[in-house]
Amino acid sequence: EFVRDAAKLDITVKFVRRIDECDDPEGIYLTNYETVRDGKLNPCLFSVCSLDEAGCLRGFGSTLTFRKFMATLAGDDHTGVRTEGVKYRFVATATPSPNEFIEILAYAAYLDILDVSQGKTRFFKRDSTKADKLTIHPHKEKEFWLWVSSWALFVKKPSDLGHDDTGYELPPLTVKWQEVKTDHTTAGFERNGQGRLLANAAIGISEQAREKRESLPRRLERLKEIMAEGRRADDQIVIWVDLDDEQRAVERCLNDECVSFSSVYGSLSEDEKERRMSEWRDGQTV
């Protein structure tokens, strides 16, 4: 997404996994967190680093990624010996949690604004039963958010930065619930042998999984009906599934309908996922 968006602004961004791929000392480069975490690329060779998703810092102290990023990018390996790290650091997230104060303190620590322990002492009451459960002092609430606003920026839309919101705000979302009838002929029997008139409600996880499997053929038929209802040949759709069996069934259904599609799932390599998503974004698949 960064490469595609940068191209619209005539900016060249290159994805790399090793430092020898960085052929321009003034270039802008992308890599994934695993590359830095696994030691394949030393971020301290760069003057500026921006984390697109600050979620890797939310595991404050408990994850390998957080510890590695603090030691290399922030220059703090918690041994008391500090290094410069990357001189200019930024973090971004689309899903900050205002009530998860430890998360905000983790960002501040990474950005070398304030140590987490100092932030806890300055603004919060301690919970003896849970170390990272923080309750802000009522008389410190205003001071805390003034402090956060001195180093953090909350942006909701382009106009917050002086730009035009045209094309950014989406039209109202239309939700149409679809009901697929349950086959009550498979309701089964009670423990005493009494036949059930209606299938039991799928309350537990195992019952829900069984209902999903048994209702899959009927749901696929409804899916084909929806796809055929007023959809133009070049219309693109997104189909979300829950179970692997559902994904394989949808793939077979689309193949039977001679529909060119991009199927993305967890076991694919990162490169193959990106290739398939790029095909969809470019309109090569529907």
Side-chain angles (χ1 to χ4, degrees):
E1 292 297 333
F2 272 104
V3 172
R4 294 166 64 90
D5 290 347
K8 297 176 182 179
L9 301 174
D10 294 325
I11 298 174
T12 300
V13 177
K14 181 181 179 181
F15 181 83
V16 299
R17 286 195 175 93
R18 300 183 305 275
I19 192 61
D20 53 15
E21 298 179 76
C22 304
D23 46 16
D24 181 359
E26 297 183 356
I28 301 176
Y29 299 98
L30 295 172
T31 193
N32 53 31
Y33 286 175
E34 290 77 12
T35 297
V36 176
R37 184 194 64 197
D38 299 339
K40 298 177 182 178
L41 182 68
N42 182 4
C44 294
L45 298 173
F46 297 84
S47 57
V48 182
C49 179
S50 178
L51 306 182
D52 171 50
E53 177 46 66
C56 65
L57 303 177
R58 291 178 191 146
F60 181 67
S62 63
T63 63
L64 174 61
T65 301
F66 176 86
R67 296 193 298 272
K68 186 72 173 180
F69 277 37
M70 287 298 294
T72 54
L73 281 80
D76 183 7
D77 61 1
H78 297 286
T79 62
V81 179
R82 294 294 300 267
T83 61
E84 184 180 23
V86 179
K87 187 173 183 180
Y88 300 103
R89 301 188 294 274
F90 299 88
V91 296
T93 178
T95 55
S97 179
N99 296 321
E100 285 293 335
F101 297 114
I102 193 68
E103 177 182 331
I104 296 176
L105 292 181
Y107 298 161
Y110 170 78
L111 297 172
D112 204 18
I113 304 297
L114 184 69
D115 184 76
V116 171
S117 59
Q118 292 176 324
K120 288 180 177 180
T121 302
R122 179 176 171 183
F123 298 110
F124 301 97
K125 293 185 287 187
R126 301 297 182 93
D127 187 332
S128 59
T129 62
K130 190 173 182 181
D132 289 336
K133 183 180 179 181
L134 303 179
T135 302
I136 195 167
H137 288 293
H139 65 283
K140 287 285 187 176
E141 186 171 0
K142 182 177 180 179
E143 179 186 344
F144 174 77
W145 290 113
L146 285 173
W147 170 73
V148 171
S149 66
S150 70
W151 55 268
L153 185 66
F154 289 83
V155 179
K156 293 184 177 181
K157 51 188 177 180
S159 59
D160 291 341
L161 297 175
H163 302 291
D164 186 6
D165 291 334
T166 302
Y168 179 81
E169 296 194 4
L170 299 175
L173 180 65
T174 301
V175 178
K176 296 182 179 179
W177 291 99
Q178 306 293 325
E179 180 179 351
V180 176
K181 300 295 184 181
T182 296
D183 182 6
H184 292 289
T185 62
T186 61
F189 299 87
E190 302 289 353
R191 291 182 179 180
N192 61 5
Q194 176 73 33
R196 297 193 185 109
L197 179 63
L198 301 174
N200 281 346
I203 298 175
I205 295 177
S206 59
E207 291 90 348
Q208 292 175 9
R210 184 184 67 247
E211 181 62 27
K212 287 179 181 179
R213 289 193 300 270
E214 293 179 353
S215 65
L216 183 54
R218 298 189 299 279
R219 289 188 286 125
L220 282 176
E221 287 301 316
R222 183 62 189 130
L223 172 64
K224 289 191 287 186
E225 293 172 0
I226 294 173
M227 290 179 61
E229 292 173 357
R231 188 177 71 88
R232 299 188 302 269
D234 58 345
D235 282 345
Q236 289 185 286
I237 60 174
V238 176
I239 301 173
W240 292 95
V241 298
D242 184 26
L243 305 175
D244 290 341
D245 287 344
E246 292 175 339
Q247 179 143 9
R248 288 188 286 267
V250 170
E251 290 175 352
R252 290 193 298 269
C253 175
L254 295 177
N255 279 323
D256 292 342
E257 298 292 321
C258 298
V259 175
S260 177
F261 61 91
S262 296
S263 183
V264 180
Y265 43 91
S267 60
L268 292 174
S269 68
E270 294 298 325
D271 289 340
E272 181 60 18
K273 289 178 185 176
E274 181 58 34
R275 187 191 69 79
R276 295 189 183 191
M277 288 190 289
S278 293
E279 285 182 342
W280 186 84
R281 285 192 294 259
D282 293 335
Q284 299 175 29
T285 59
V286 300

